Amino acid sequence: MYGYTGKILVADLSKEKTSVKELERSRAKKYLGGVGLAASFIWELTDAKTDPLQPENPLIFVTGPVNGTGFPPTGRFAVCSLSPLTGIWGESHSGGFFGPMMKYAGFDMLLITGRSKEAVYLAIDDGNVELRSAKHLWGKDVLETTDRIKEEMPGAEVACIGPAGENLVKFASIQVCKYRAAGRTGMGAVMGAKHLKAIAVRGENEIKVYDVDKFVALVEEARQRYTKERWGIAAQESLGKYGTTSLVEAEQEIGRLPTKNHSTGIFKDFDKIGGEAVRKYVRKKRKACMGCAIQCKYVAVIDAGEFGGTITEGPEYETLVAFGSDELNSRLDAIVYANYLCNKLGLDTISTGKSIAFAMELSEKGLINQSIKWGDVETMVKLVEDIAYRRGFGNELAEGVRNLAAKLGAEAEKLAVHVKGLEMSGQDGRAHKSIGLTHAISVRGADHLRSISCLDELGYVDIAKERYPEDAKIILDLRSEKLKGILVEDMETNYAIVDSLIICKYGTMWPPIFYYSDYARLIYYTTGFKDYQKPENVRKLGERICLLRRAINARRGITRKDDTLPYKQLHEPMPDGPAKGEVVHLDVMLDEFYDARGCTRDGKPKYSKLKELGMKQVGDALAKEGIISKEH
């Protein structure tokens, strides 16, 4: 098949067996790749009772048809499973070189089940597969594990877990290229539960595309649009120059920079941790994922002082918030070091930083006995290590904000900033209403990357007018709940395609260069799937993927009551800044979103919509279990 290797590697760790399965053309055509393809398997292989940390829960590493082809941002891949942190659909993504190398090694997808008796790593070398002992690697951190495997398999790309994954920390990450993380939803814990320390891939297979001439022309067009034209120049002046760190200044300006465990959107020391400070004090070198024209990554070095000698990649905006403004910490060197530690130990920086911020507020309010003061860098660093090794109070934090709050009671639950168990990323719906809806409805919890709108956030007026000519003015109003259900449904559909191709959010989200008509050309030139020459069919593909993930969650009991926001954002007005006095009025946006998505007002997929999108069997299964009615 064009764009694919056509092969799936199936590894049953309990039986110590691997086999190769053909990727069915019909399945690829229906779900494309990435999260779409993974969701089709998660739907089939799990049910309402599947425990995320038990052997039967599948762990899926997946690429898309564009990965490894030379299209500018194609270095990404996804890891999907049921999440041990949230108990529902989990997905996490990373850039680097692992995804393309996985295809060059011979596979579109790795489907891993079971649990090995002893620690192992999976070595995939040009189609040859071997389960190797990892007893000598168990207990090692990410940096040493990567180096040791590269000695044993030169030229390989390595995805591995650190001590956090081995210790089943609920928000453990999977690291690639040492410093890139598939961080969210605890995929590292799923890997640790299977006693799978790492996966190494190496290969030289070619990926063929359907229409070479038109594909090459589209690649050149994409490079121009990413670097030369209006939005390409804007991308280079923002992402190219600063990475995502300049968002600190942008979010401070609109009053949406999470500060003091999301108590406010204004941080008085924002300039000490923002994009300009990063460029001046720690940024040393620009880096990129495979073939990327934007190149937003960078190397950070701390030259001197308490954390002198630290060399790492990042931190990005989310980490600057999690270990900076949200903890009232203005020491950039300490944030860089905390980021380095998370990469080394295999922890999601967002959930780790937000859990510590939660602990700081609990301590301030006298709801725990530990003394953990705002901005206390020494304690922050110690807690990062304690979480990874589940030592002392770190063991409580390792279970995630939701679980700790449930143990402490109602007052603590009012301070817990999460949705569906996932600690909230660095936005605030009180200052930006569409992101409030995004956090509430996201299928993986309080996450921005499934449906954030940068049109209203960063003011892309011309793009808003092109996409929503009659409603652009209302769409662009940050503080209005009107039409945000329509906007977020469109963004979620858009990004479901992006995450199935798999290409990067930078160029599709920020800046919003590519849209359905562009995906139509890219999919057709790459795969030859004729149906997707029409943008309306590409959109239906995105809708199908969105509803399938929502169906997985519905089967696990998720309804409208779970599509909500933390107490602070619903009931405590923003105390200061441009959004002073604002709260999120969620219900009106939810109704509009459900209608647009094809869900009942209870947040479940409608049978009629599933049938329309070619998923009658999914509807029948949900109806048989009494989760939905065939009447809707």
Side-chain angles (χ1 to χ4, degrees):
M1 289 192 298
Y2 294 109
Y4 302 89
T5 69
K7 295 178 182 176
I8 296 171
L9 175 64
V10 180
D12 185 334
L13 300 182
S14 296
K15 297 179 180 176
E16 300 179 1
K17 287 185 176 180
T18 62
S19 59
V20 178
K21 176 185 174 71
E22 180 186 351
L23 172 61
E24 308 143 272
R25 180 179 173 82
S26 58
R27 188 190 292 261
K29 187 177 177 183
K30 190 169 185 176
Y31 296 107
L32 193 61
V35 297
L37 188 61
S40 73
F41 281 93
I42 297 289
W43 168 259
E44 292 174 3
L45 298 175
T46 69
D47 59 29
K49 297 179 180 177
T50 304
D51 185 328
L53 291 180
Q54 290 303 309
E56 60 269 23
N57 184 29
L59 178 67
I60 294 174
F61 286 68
V62 65
T63 62
V66 176
N67 295 128
T69 60
F71 190 78
T74 60
R76 300 187 69 78
F77 71 103
V79 187
C80 303
S81 187
L82 295 179
S83 164
L85 182 63
T86 64
I88 57 175
W89 164 262
E91 63 175 273
S92 197
H93 302 247
S94 177
F97 299 84
F98 183 89
M101 188 63 87
M102 198 174 107
K103 288 179 76 172
Y104 300 151
F107 298 100
D108 297 304
M109 191 178 107
L110 314 178
L111 173 58
I112 302 163
T113 60
R115 175 184 292 157
S116 176
K117 293 176 183 175
E118 297 182 337
V120 294
Y121 79 88
L122 189 57
I124 305 171
D125 191 357
D126 247 342
N128 298 307
V129 181
E130 184 182 357
L131 278 171
R132 297 180 181 178
S133 172
K135 290 168 69 176
H136 62 303
L137 301 172
W138 203 254
K140 306 294 185 188
D141 64 42
V142 166
L143 308 184
E144 187 173 357
T145 298
T146 303
D147 287 340
R148 293 284 292 273
I149 292 178
K150 281 180 171 286
E151 288 175 5
E152 298 169 13
M153 197 169 163
E157 293 295 329
V158 178
C160 69
I161 59 171
E166 295 176 11
N167 293 321
L168 308 184
V169 174
K170 293 290 177 63
F171 42 84
S173 63
I174 297 171
Q175 298 288 135
V176 295
C177 306
K178 294 184 178 177
Y179 302 113
R180 307 287 174 83
R184 305 245 71 192
T185 68
M187 296 295 100
V190 178
M191 199 159 157
K194 295 185 179 302
H195 297 160
L196 179 62
K197 179 66 176 178
I199 300 171
V201 290
R202 182 173 65 183
E204 296 182 349
N205 283 298
E206 293 181 352
I207 308 298
K208 295 180 179 178
V209 298
Y210 173 70
D211 190 325
V212 176
D213 291 341
K214 289 183 177 177
F215 180 84
V216 169
L218 185 58
V219 168
E220 181 54 31
E221 178 189 324
R223 290 192 182 281
Q224 290 291 319
R225 293 170 74 180
Y226 281 132
T227 58
K228 302 296 184 184
E229 298 177 5
R230 179 185 179 189
W231 298 118
I233 292 170
Q236 293 304 314
E237 285 299 309
S238 54
L239 286 162
K241 187 175 180 181
Y242 297 98
T244 58
T245 64
S246 63
L247 283 174
V248 170
E249 286 91 341
E251 305 312 331
Q252 173 81 3
E253 186 175 343
I254 64 173
R256 206 206 68 181
L257 182 67
T259 300
K260 200 180 181 184
N261 193 29
H262 284 255
S263 294
T264 178
I266 297 294
F267 183 44
K268 68 179 179 60
D269 292 327
F270 75 96
D271 56 333
K272 295 179 181 177
I273 65 169
E276 292 294 346
V278 167
R279 276 189 68 84
K280 184 175 182 180
Y281 296 113
V282 299
R283 181 182 169 118
K284 301 296 183 184
K285 183 180 179 183
R286 196 171 175 181
K287 290 207 72 173
C289 299
M290 181 178 169
C292 182
I294 291 180
Q295 302 182 4
C296 70
K297 304 301 180 187
Y298 71 97
V299 176
V301 178
I302 303 175
D303 292 321
E306 184 179 356
F307 304 113
T310 301
I311 302 174
T312 187
E313 289 188 29
E316 298 190 32
Y317 164 76
E318 289 289 343
T319 308
L320 292 167
V321 170
F323 287 106
S325 58
D326 230 22
E327 297 183 10
L328 296 187
N329 169 32
S330 58
R331 279 188 56 179
L332 185 57
D333 62 338
I335 298 172
V336 172
Y337 187 69
N339 180 65
Y340 164 78
L341 266 186
C342 285
N343 290 333
K344 181 180 177 182
L345 300 173
L347 286 165
D348 174 31
T349 59
I350 299 175
S351 286
T352 305
K354 298 302 179 77
S355 296
I356 295 172
F358 178 51
M360 288 174 172
E361 188 161 18
L362 290 173
S363 179
E364 181 187 53
K365 298 285 196 306
L367 296 174
I368 56 174
N369 295 325
Q370 290 76 12
S371 176
I372 307 171
K373 296 180 179 177
W374 295 108
D376 181 349
V377 166
E378 183 179 348
T379 300
M380 176 186 80
V381 168
K382 182 177 182 302
L383 281 174
V384 172
E385 294 174 333
D386 287 348
I387 288 170
Y389 290 100
R390 284 186 171 274
R391 297 187 300 226
F393 189 61
N395 187 46
E396 301 287 344
L397 294 176
E399 289 295 303
V401 163
R402 178 173 66 177
N403 290 327
L404 177 57
K407 287 178 69 174
L408 294 173
E411 289 304 308
E413 289 186 327
K414 287 182 179 179
L415 308 178
V417 182
H418 72 89
V419 175
K420 304 183 184 81
L422 184 68
E423 290 74 21
M424 183 169 281
S425 52
Q427 301 80 33
D428 192 315
R430 291 172 293 186
H432 177 192
K433 296 302 171 62
S434 69
I435 191 64
L437 180 61
T438 284
H439 280 151
I441 61 91
S442 171
V443 289
R444 73 172 183 177
D447 164 63
H448 58 302
L449 290 173
R450 305 282 73 75
S451 59
I452 188 174
S453 165
C454 292
L455 302 185
D456 48 340
E457 177 196 17
L458 299 175
Y460 290 105
V461 177
D462 292 347
I463 300 292
K465 288 180 177 178
E466 287 175 16
R467 296 184 183 179
Y468 316 102
E470 305 296 324
D471 302 315
K473 185 176 180 181
I474 301 173
I475 289 284
L476 289 166
D477 187 343
L478 273 175
R479 308 274 189 268
S480 170
E481 279 96 359
K482 291 181 179 177
L483 298 183
K484 298 308 186 287
I486 304 295
L487 176 65
V488 169
E489 186 274 340
D490 188 43
M491 291 298 166
E492 188 185 41
T493 304
N494 180 355
Y495 300 157
I497 299 161
V498 170
D499 290 335
S500 297
L501 269 166
I502 297 173
I503 53 177
C504 189
K505 294 287 165 50
Y506 302 132
T508 53
M509 176 185 79
W510 171 35
I513 298 173
F514 282 79
Y515 203 41
Y516 301 116
S517 59
D518 302 300
Y519 308 144
R521 288 190 293 156
L522 181 56
I523 295 172
Y524 180 57
Y525 299 161
T526 305
T527 67
F529 293 150
K530 292 182 179 178
D531 288 353
Y532 296 131
Q533 292 180 89
K534 296 179 179 178
E536 57 267 34
N537 288 343
V538 174
R539 199 183 194 288
K540 284 186 180 296
L541 165 68
E543 291 183 76
R544 188 180 302 128
I545 295 165
C546 290
L547 271 191
L548 183 58
R549 292 184 300 193
R550 191 161 273 272
I552 292 169
N553 283 351
R555 188 167 59 182
R556 296 183 69 80
I558 296 298
T559 67
R560 184 187 184 113
K561 69 176 177 14
D562 303 291
D563 287 343
T564 188
L565 288 171
Y567 180 88
K568 289 181 180 181
Q569 295 181 16
L570 293 175
H571 301 290
E572 295 181 359
M574 185 69 86
D576 46 21
K580 184 177 181 179
E582 294 282 341
V583 294
V584 182
H585 302 103
L586 191 57
D587 280 341
V588 63
M589 294 193 291
L590 274 181
D591 288 346
E592 192 175 62
F593 171 79
Y594 290 150
D595 290 347
R597 173 54 66 223
C599 291
T600 65
R601 289 294 174 90
D602 199 29
K604 300 173 184 174
K606 286 182 178 178
Y607 183 84
S608 57
K609 188 67 177 180
L610 290 167
K611 191 175 175 182
E612 174 194 323
L613 294 171
M615 296 192 291
K616 180 177 179 297
Q617 78 284 7
V618 175
D620 289 339
L622 291 177
K624 185 177 180 181
E625 295 179 41
I627 296 169
I628 65 172
S629 167
K630 290 187 177 182
E631 302 301 316
H632 294 293

